[in-house]
Amino acid sequence: LLVGCATPFPMGSLYTEVKAPVSATGAMSYSKVGVAKATSILSLVATGDASIRAAAANGGIKTIKYVDYDAKNILGLYGEYTTTVYGD
């Protein structure tokens, strides 16, 4: 079970709820926030657009300052993945 299980973000086998940075330009001031989500059910079906492009469009952002990523997964039964973009 433990062979090849390295992930770029911390993952729990029973429950995961983490926030992680994706990128930053150095400027931490922003005037707009955009969010995009994708979900997974039973680790069989995944839908949604959690891309940076979708999050920026949802927030009306033209200049991206930084991006965060949130992951929540419960036993592989339900997963929610969120990208949050901050910018102007």
Side-chain angles (χ1 to χ4, degrees), residues 5-41:
C5 291
T7 64
F9 300 110
M11 298 296 282
S13 59
L14 297 177
Y15 180 78
T16 299
E17 186 168 0
V18 297
K19 295 181 184 293
V22 174
S23 67
T25 62
M28 299 306 283
S29 62
Y30 59 89
S31 61
K32 298 179 182 179
V33 177
V35 176
K37 292 186 179 189
T39 57
S40 171
I41 300 171

